[in-house]
Amino acid sequence: QQQQQQQPESDSACSHKSQAPGAWVALVDVLQEGMQELRAQHVPRILIKCIFKQILAFINAQLFNQLLLRPECCSASNAKYLLAGLKWLDAWILAGAPGSVAPDASMLKPLYPELRHTRQAVGFLVCPNKGALSLEDIASNLCPALNSQQIYRLCTTFHEDTGCSMDMVSGEVLEGLKSATTGGGVHNNGGLIVTFLIDDDHALIVAPHGSTVGEVLQVINRKELYGELPLPEELDTDTCPRSVFAWLEAPVQMPASMEKLSKKAP
């Protein structure tokens, strides 16, 4: 059951469309249009993957932070709304939207974990028997990607507004979370430092766990890369005039567009 929650079936994205809120369907349609345009322009797959990795990470940070910052968002009704939308978005990530080509699915499937914070938070909020959960159940099974501050914030901010019977977490669990939260010395002038938010990293990654665009542009801007290249001995023969390879020995001119980008690189 745990694996089913973490990795939903990717049978058909269409099966969720009738249940998904309109805003989520529109979001996926925009993502799919962007994917098709990038593929039509023959953008390398690694760059497409990195672009969508950053987009999904941005969506995850925005949704998760709003859950924790705005009490009106941390409700049972909103959690169910998010759950329906995430199913539709997950289906697109894992299987591709209707009409998409097969390579899209295999390209985006590794990006499924990018939404893990929001997915796990929503899964916890819609759980009907929170009172029966131990701290280990929540921290290790339901919300392994969340820290103590984030779980404590969810538990203390969540409210039931649908009229359904949903247990709250036990006092023992709250005390354990509070102890773990305050025991790390996260106080400032008597108040709790905001440590439960997800930072949105704006640095565009051009390789998983690799270089950013700025770092690549700094390398491209190195002057020694654009100097003269010596003619290899194998080409310097009597049978072929040296002038044939004059272009090889001439300095390389950096494209104007690339030069502008490199100057903006941090």
Side-chain angles (χ1 to χ4, degrees):
Q1 184 178 3
Q2 174 67 18
Q3 292 179 349
Q4 290 177 355
Q5 287 183 346
Q6 296 297 321
Q7 189 81 357
E9 293 295 329
S10 58
D11 48 355
S12 173
C14 297
S15 63
H16 299 292
K17 192 163 188 175
S18 60
Q19 304 173 8
W24 288 87
V25 176
L27 170 64
V28 171
D29 288 344
V30 170
L31 293 176
Q32 178 62 17
E33 290 176 4
M35 169 70 75
Q36 292 175 340
E37 180 64 24
L38 291 172
R39 297 296 299 275
Q41 298 300 325
H42 305 287
V43 176
R45 287 170 59 91
I46 182 62
L47 292 182
I48 295 178
K49 183 177 177 179
C50 291
I51 290 171
F52 278 92
K53 176 182 174 68
Q54 189 172 32
I55 291 174
L56 294 177
F58 174 80
I59 293 174
N60 177 66
Q62 292 299 311
L63 292 177
F64 184 76
N65 289 344
Q66 290 303 309
L67 277 178
L68 301 186
L69 286 175
R70 300 175 58 184
E72 67 272 20
C73 293
C74 196
S75 64
S77 60
N78 192 53
K80 292 179 180 179
Y81 174 86
L82 287 174
L83 182 64
L86 284 172
K87 285 183 178 180
W88 173 235
L89 182 56
D90 286 344
W92 179 76
I93 294 173
L94 295 174
S100 65
V101 293
D104 294 351
S106 62
M107 186 192 316
L108 295 180
K109 189 174 292 186
L111 304 183
Y112 177 83
E114 292 299 323
L115 295 168
R116 61 190 180 279
H117 297 88
T118 302
R119 192 181 295 114
Q120 291 176 16
V122 170
F124 168 70
L125 294 180
V126 300
C127 182
N129 57 339
K130 298 181 184 67
L133 298 174
S134 66
L135 182 55
E136 179 69 17
D137 293 331
I138 300 174
S140 299
N141 298 328
L142 284 176
C143 306
L146 309 188
N147 60 39
S148 299
Q149 289 90 346
Q150 292 164 342
I151 298 175
Y152 182 79
R153 181 74 177 183
L154 285 174
C155 292
T156 55
T157 308
F158 173 76
H159 62 279
E160 167 58 53
D161 63 346
T162 62
C164 300
S165 177
M166 279 193 178
D167 294 339
M168 306 303 289
V169 295
S170 66
E172 181 182 355
V173 170
L174 283 178
E175 284 299 321
L177 288 170
K178 187 175 181 180
S179 176
T181 300
T182 59
V186 288
H187 286 84
N188 184 17
N189 296 327
L192 194 65
I193 296 176
V194 179
T195 58
F196 49 74
L197 300 181
I198 298 178
D199 292 330
D200 179 28
D201 186 5
H202 295 284
L204 181 59
I205 304 298
V206 297
H209 309 292
S211 302
T212 63
V213 168
E215 293 170 340
V216 172
L217 291 176
Q218 285 181 340
V219 173
I220 292 177
N221 198 31
R222 290 166 54 186
K223 294 182 179 180
E224 58 266 27
L225 294 178
Y226 299 91
E228 298 180 5
L229 295 176
L231 185 67
E233 295 181 359
E234 291 78 5
L235 299 179
D236 190 8
T237 63
D238 297 334
T239 58
C240 186
R242 192 181 182 89
S243 59
V244 173
F245 302 102
W247 60 271
L248 184 61
E249 297 179 300
V252 179
Q253 183 67 37
M254 178 189 290
S257 58
M258 187 66 70
E259 188 171 3
K260 291 180 181 179
L261 285 174
S262 63
K263 291 179 179 179
K264 295 180 180 179

